[in-house]
Amino acid sequence: MFGQYKGLRRELYVLFWGKAATNMGAMIWPMLTLILSNKLGMSAEEIARITIAMGIIQFPANLLGGKLADHCNKKNLIVVCDLVTVTCYLTAAFLPVSMTQIMLFFTAGVFQTMENPSYDALVADLSTAENREKAYSLIYLGLNLGLILAPSIGGILFQHHLGLAYAIDGLTTLSSTILILLFIKDIAPVKEEKNIYEEAKDTQSTWKILSGQKVILLFLICWAVYQFSYAQFNFLIPLNMESLYGGQGAVYFGLMTSLNGLVVIVGTPLLTKWAAGLGDTTKLLAGQILVSISLSMYIFIQGIVPLYYVSMILFTIGEVMTTLGSYPYLTRRIPASHRGRISSVSNIFLGAAMYYSQWKIGAVLETHTIMTAWQCVAAAGVLGLILYLVLIKADRKVYPLLYKK
């Protein structure tokens, strides 16, 4: 099952362990909604406003990160951003629970956002068109490897030792930075005969690339609608748990997040191998269907704890399928010269969808029941399904060479 990852560039294995080390301490972001709600006493709408405001700040950081990724040393950019992130986490560890602590957390998030295009572009640079799914699968596996225990431990530390969770976040990120600094030596792109759609177009702007390939814009819209639903993993689900179980909701949500990580560890290599013969768009459609079904279940399973975990398993399988389809889909259809910049644009689409989702669902919760909110999420899932069906038809017409055996 894991043998399929043999033969990749050494640097990809370093990035894998770097992601794993960072996420072994990822205890704050799964609990952010609960920190704002339970510790700082904010309503759902106030939480949405805070996260949206902070998210808007990340948009220019994303664009800057994409620009730098295509014109600077990607490894050095990742290291610098990580060092700022570590400083913010370790400083927050010594402060009481407050908005100052939250601001430091969001500052760290801005610099992590800035480095994301470099990570995405580096994985594409270090892999070939044939093994790109395996490369992204490996990095995604590392990202989730640390999430098996981190959220559960974060849930335990939530009540009385939140500062320790910040400290662990900072130290694990530092260990990841040291790995990358010491062991990534060669970041030269793989030399191969690229497909016609990946040919470099250095003289063209990002907007000209996107406006000339409207199917890519359609894909980004599909992905954004998917993200509208997916964002409820860290927003509506924890609020739902708190409304049903109070402070114990953090423990349930931590266990659900750890289950998410565990299913990723087991499911990613299995699904990578099983879905190897499926097209990118087929994987994307499967992911949309599974995530939509899993979240729609909350309309019927309120108070039935075992079914929360069934829903999470379906959700995670859909998440894995979307990951296996999305980044390979994008990198096979855009010029290699614009990977960083278009990655940043895609991150902006996803970020905008996530923050709009939180604002919209937060507003629904202020005036309606949590059941109405879940019905809105289910409706978004149906819309996403329709859009992906349209994308599949359009993609075959625009990129016919990718469908030839």
Side-chain angles (χ1 to χ4, degrees):
M1 185 169 65
F2 291 97
Q4 63 186 310
Y5 296 116
K6 290 181 180 178
L8 299 174
R9 285 271 291 271
R10 187 188 74 167
E11 289 75 17
L12 287 169
Y13 300 121
V14 178
L15 290 176
F16 160 78
W17 284 112
K19 282 286 188 184
T22 297
N23 283 279
M24 284 176 188
M27 299 178 185
I28 299 300
W29 68 262
M31 300 296 163
L32 181 59
T33 298
L34 291 173
I35 292 171
L36 295 174
S37 173
N38 189 280
K39 297 287 188 181
L40 297 178
M42 295 184 182
S43 68
E45 190 170 16
E46 288 173 326
I47 294 170
R49 287 174 182 168
I50 290 289
T51 54
I52 289 169
M54 297 303 175
I56 291 172
I57 297 173
Q58 292 186 353
F59 291 161
N62 221 319
L63 289 173
L64 177 60
K67 185 80 170 178
L68 292 173
D70 284 333
H71 293 93
C72 300
N73 185 294
K74 298 179 182 67
K75 169 192 166 181
N76 292 341
L77 182 60
I78 291 171
V79 169
V80 170
C81 289
D82 273 351
L83 290 176
V84 177
T85 298
V86 169
T87 302
C88 290
Y89 279 141
L90 294 181
T91 303
F94 294 97
L95 297 176
V97 179
S98 61
M99 279 308 299
T100 301
Q101 193 183 53
I102 296 298
M103 289 298 295
L104 283 168
F105 174 76
F106 272 111
T107 302
V110 167
F111 281 88
Q112 286 187 316
T113 296
M114 195 180 298
E115 74 178 29
N116 282 338
S118 292
Y119 257 108
D120 295 339
L122 202 53
V123 174
D125 287 347
L126 296 174
S127 59
T128 66
E130 287 72 26
N131 66 20
R132 197 158 294 157
E133 285 97 341
K134 294 179 181 178
Y136 279 108
S137 170
L138 181 68
I139 300 304
Y140 179 65
L141 191 62
L143 186 150
N144 283 275
L145 184 62
L147 292 179
I148 293 179
L149 292 178
S152 294
I153 297 173
I156 295 169
L157 297 176
F158 175 77
Q159 289 288 3
H160 305 295
H161 303 285
L162 197 57
L164 180 58
Y166 277 103
I168 294 172
D169 261 12
L171 292 175
T172 53
T173 302
L174 179 60
S175 68
S176 163
T177 308
I178 293 171
L179 280 172
I180 292 171
L181 185 62
L182 294 181
F183 296 107
I184 290 188
K185 304 295 184 184
D186 180 17
I187 59 171
V190 172
K191 292 182 179 179
E192 62 169 338
E193 186 178 342
K194 294 183 173 66
N195 77 61
I196 188 173
Y197 309 120
E198 290 185 61
E199 291 179 356
K201 298 180 181 179
D202 298 293
T203 60
Q204 294 190 17
S205 67
T206 305
W207 172 245
K208 189 170 183 179
I209 295 292
L210 290 174
S211 62
Q213 296 176 258
K214 292 185 173 56
V215 173
I216 298 297
L217 286 173
L218 175 59
F219 162 71
L220 293 178
I221 292 170
C222 292
W223 204 5
V225 173
Y226 163 87
Q227 185 69 14
F228 181 97
S229 299
Y230 180 86
Q232 302 315 314
F233 176 35
N234 282 318
F235 186 74
L236 189 54
I237 291 179
L239 288 176
N240 198 163
M241 293 299 102
E242 186 188 34
S243 70
L244 290 173
Y245 307 106
Q248 185 69 13
V251 177
Y252 282 128
F253 181 62
L255 291 171
M256 291 165 67
T257 307
S258 292
L259 176 62
N260 173 263
L262 179 61
V263 174
V264 166
I265 300 305
V266 176
T268 297
L270 283 173
L271 290 169
T272 300
K273 195 171 185 65
W274 174 77
L278 300 178
D280 299 330
T281 52
T282 303
K283 295 171 188 173
L284 291 168
L285 180 62
Q288 177 69 47
I289 292 171
L290 289 169
V291 168
S292 298
I293 290 173
S294 67
L295 294 177
S296 298
M297 285 175 64
Y298 280 89
I299 298 173
F300 311 102
I301 64 174
Q302 295 293 308
I304 309 174
V305 175
L307 291 183
Y308 299 157
Y309 301 110
V310 173
S311 171
M312 185 53 62
I313 291 171
L314 292 176
F315 178 92
T316 307
I317 295 173
E319 178 187 350
V320 172
M321 291 298 290
T322 298
T323 300
L324 294 179
S326 55
Y327 290 104
Y329 176 93
L330 199 57
T331 56
R332 286 194 179 105
R333 291 161 174 80
I334 60 173
S337 54
H338 288 67
R339 283 171 178 160
R341 280 166 284 181
I342 293 182
S343 174
S344 70
V345 171
S346 68
N347 289 336
I348 288 174
F349 268 79
L350 298 180
M354 180 182 71
Y355 293 118
Y356 174 74
S357 173
Q358 293 180 354
W359 170 77
K360 186 66 177 177
I361 297 302
V364 170
L365 289 174
E366 288 294 310
T367 56
H368 297 81
T369 66
I370 203 162
M371 198 61 61
T372 303
W374 283 120
Q375 289 168 354
C376 292
V377 174
V382 173
L383 174 61
L385 175 61
I386 294 170
L387 288 174
Y388 269 122
L389 291 172
V390 174
L391 175 67
I392 290 173
K393 185 176 181 180
D395 195 71
R396 284 184 173 274
K397 290 182 179 179
V398 177
Y399 304 106
L401 296 180
L402 297 177
Y403 290 89
K404 291 184 178 180
K405 297 293 184 182

